[in-house]
């Protein structure tokens, strides 16, 4: 526990602090507009967004005299890929000449993540956010984290200023958050593509063999895929190449893949939190309601209706998106349609994902611009020495790759 002036920073006591923390969350609505805000309801579990991570902590800031909670912060630690190196594994024989087989392998680092920093509107510009960040970073360091990062919106100037000017973070990556509404009608899937559900073990094998060198890839991908919130991993292949009856397993599939394929996993955020759009005009609400009425009455028109976003709604998050081949983008579109239909069955309002701005498959992801964020901002800080083998050096200074792996546990 840390006391500085009239503010005490301590660990969350879930039984004691629940109601106060919920009230603080409600007063700290977030959104990308001055008039429309997005309220997050964590279902009475303030640490629900981090409790699925290997190590996590939530701190609260309270006034020393009144014992009023005026700030909070969440943090977690995991091991992820921060780069890759070339490794010589075994031998290959070409034209009777023996050569070393060289392939890229991941370089891992212990990474901490800060999320959910909140300060009561009545106690802002008093240094409370800075105290919370510093105390969380102390915990990160005590638990061996080598880097810390956080995500915020580019136009959240107060947050950006706090982390870059006062906490020593630097701007690192600017991925895109892509959000698509779930319509009242189902989306049709191409008859040229087969969508198969992979077992968690098959999905793990595929991810480790094809995507383990992707930035931010979690070393414990098996824990993610086997989590109860992970609704499955889905593979799209050309019609006729494979089916559930002829599926050979990921290892054999990757040894002789079809010309094009794509994969994505689905995470059930609805079980963790719900969202609610507030501040929309009556005219906007009426228009949205009209589109839903028409869509339900005439589903064959396939009207792109606006779901009920002005009451609490849930969503699904797509992660592990990737693929290969010239038609991979089109297959990603099919997978997104499949995910949309799954979300519709489970009563969700949106399907979302987050990808690198340079992601080659980004164009295949359907989304509505007004619901999405073109440039989310990730900032990073080096906490101590890099304990990797030296292949990467200082990760904070590395150029971005084509793709990133967004861990659904931190959404």
């Amino acid at each position: 526990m840390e006391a500085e002036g009239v503010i005490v920073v301590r660990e969350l006591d879930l039984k004691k602090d629940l109601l106060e923390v919920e009230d603080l969350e409600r007063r700290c609505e977030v959104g990308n507009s001055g008039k429309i805000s997005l309220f997050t309801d964590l279902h009475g579990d303030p640490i629900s967004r981090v409790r699925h991570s290997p190590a996590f902590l939530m701190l609260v800031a309270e006034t020393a005299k009144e014992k009023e909670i005026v700030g909070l912060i969440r943090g977690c630690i995991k091991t992820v890929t921060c780069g890759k190196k070339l490794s010589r594994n075994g031998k290959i024989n070409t034209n009777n000449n023996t050569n070393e087989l060289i392939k890229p392998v991941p370089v891992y680092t212990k990474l901490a993540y800060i999320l959910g920093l909140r300060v009561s509107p009545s106690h802002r510009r008093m240094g409370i956010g800075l105290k919370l960040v510093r105390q969380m970073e102390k915990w990160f360091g005590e638990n061996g984290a080598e880097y810390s990062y956080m995500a915020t919106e580019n136009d959240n100037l107060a947050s950006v200023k706090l982390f870059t000017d006062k906490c020593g973070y630097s701007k690192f990556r600017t991925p895109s958050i892509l959000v698509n509404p779930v319509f009242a009608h189902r989306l049709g899937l191409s008859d040229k593509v087969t969508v198969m559900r992979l077992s968690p073990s098959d999905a793990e094998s595929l991810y480790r063999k094809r995507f383990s060198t992707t930035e931010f890839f979690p070393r414990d991908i098996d824990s993610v895929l086997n989590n109860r919130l992970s609704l499955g991993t889905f593979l799209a292949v050309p019609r006729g190449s494979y089916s559930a009856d002829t599926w050979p397993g990921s290892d054999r599939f990757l040894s002789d893949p079809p010309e094009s394929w794509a994969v994505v996993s689905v995470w059930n955020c609805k079980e963790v939190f719900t969202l609610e759009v507030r501040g929309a005009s009556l005219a906007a609400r009426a228009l949205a309601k009209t589109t839903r009425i028409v869509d339900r009455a005439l589903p064959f028109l396939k009207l792109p209706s606006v779901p009920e976003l002005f009451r609490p709604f849930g969503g699904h998050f797509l992660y592990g998106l990737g693929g290969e081949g010239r038609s991979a983008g089109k297959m990603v579109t099919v997978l997104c349609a499949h995910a949309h239909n799954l979300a519709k069955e489970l009563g969700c309002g949106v399907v979302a994902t987050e990808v690198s701005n340079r992601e080659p498959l980004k164009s295949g992801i359907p989304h509505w611009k007004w619901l999405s964020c073109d440039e989310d901002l990730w900032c990073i800080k080096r906490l101590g020495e890099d304990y990797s083998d030296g292949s990467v050096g200082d990760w904070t200074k590395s150029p971005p790759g084509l793709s990133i792996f967004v861990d659904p546990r931190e959404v």
Side-chain angles (χ1 to χ4, degrees), residues 155-176:
D155 58 1
N156 189 341
L157 300 182
S159 179
V160 174
K161 185 176 179 65
L162 169 65
F163 281 92
T164 59
D165 291 359
K166 298 182 179 180
C167 298
Y169 287 70
S170 56
K171 296 180 181 181
F172 191 56
R173 301 291 183 257
T174 54
S176 298

Side-chain angles (χ1 to χ4, degrees), residues 344-399:
K344 179 182 181 301
E345 292 173 6
L346 297 181
C348 290
V350 298
V351 174
T353 190
E354 187 165 13
V355 297
S356 167
N357 264 322
R358 304 178 65 202
E359 171 60 56
L361 302 178
K362 180 181 177 182
S363 61
I365 304 171
H367 62 281
W368 280 17
K369 188 174 180 63
W370 74 273
L371 290 174
S372 304
C373 174
D374 288 335
E375 282 196 357
D376 197 24
L377 176 62
W378 290 10
C379 297
I380 196 168
K381 176 181 180 179
R382 191 175 186 179
L383 298 176
E385 292 300 320
D386 187 345
Y387 298 112
S388 70
D389 62 2
S391 301
V392 176
D394 187 350
W395 189 22
T396 68
K397 296 179 173 59
S398 65

Side-chain angles (χ1 to χ4, degrees), residues 92-105:
I92 58 174
N93 191 287
T94 305
N95 297 326
N96 296 320
N97 294 319
T98 301
N99 301 310
E100 289 179 312
L101 177 61
I102 301 176
K103 67 174 184 178
V105 296

Side-chain angles (χ1 to χ4, degrees), residues 137-309:
E137 287 181 345
K138 181 181 178 182
W139 179 76
F140 290 161
E142 291 171 348
N143 287 272
E146 299 152 32
Y147 296 92
S148 171
Y149 85 109
M150 52 76 68
T152 188
E153 294 177 350
N154 244 329
D155 58 1
N156 189 341
L157 300 182
S159 179
V160 174
K161 185 176 179 65
L162 169 65
F163 281 92
T164 59
D165 291 359
K166 298 182 179 180
C167 298
Y169 287 70
S170 56
K171 296 180 181 181
F172 191 56
R173 301 291 183 257
T174 54
S176 298
I177 300 175
L178 307 178
V179 182
N180 207 42
V182 175
F183 309 130
H185 64 275
R186 290 176 57 85
L187 300 183
L189 306 185
S190 170
D191 59 6
K192 297 180 180 179
V193 176
T194 295
V195 175
M196 297 184 298
R197 178 172 181 164
L198 302 183
S199 68
S201 60
D202 259 337
E204 178 188 354
S205 177
L206 188 150
Y207 279 130
R208 290 197 187 279
K209 285 181 167 60
R210 275 296 189 270
F211 304 110
S212 64
T213 57
T214 301
E215 238 182 4
F216 292 93
F217 180 85
R219 195 171 194 171
D220 64 337
I221 184 64
D222 53 322
S223 296
V224 180
L225 296 169
N226 284 287
N227 191 288
R228 67 178 182 82
L229 297 178
S230 195
L231 299 179
T233 299
F234 303 94
L235 180 72
V237 294
R239 177 76 66 181
S241 56
Y242 291 104
S243 68
D245 295 331
T246 62
W247 174 245
S250 290
D251 290 344
R252 290 182 60 187
F253 169 79
L254 291 173
S255 68
D256 185 25
E259 187 275 332
S260 295
W261 59 274
V263 65
V264 74
S265 296
V266 182
W267 186 266
N268 188 5
C269 295
K270 183 181 179 183
E271 296 301 313
V272 179
F273 58 82
T274 54
L275 302 170
E276 181 181 349
V277 175
R278 294 179 176 177
S281 66
L282 290 177
R285 291 170 179 260
L287 177 61
K289 184 176 181 179
T290 300
T291 66
R292 292 194 299 275
I293 292 174
V294 175
D295 195 8
R296 283 193 293 267
L298 305 169
F300 58 87
L301 293 179
K302 300 189 182 300
L303 179 73
S305 54
V306 182
E308 177 57 272
L309 304 179

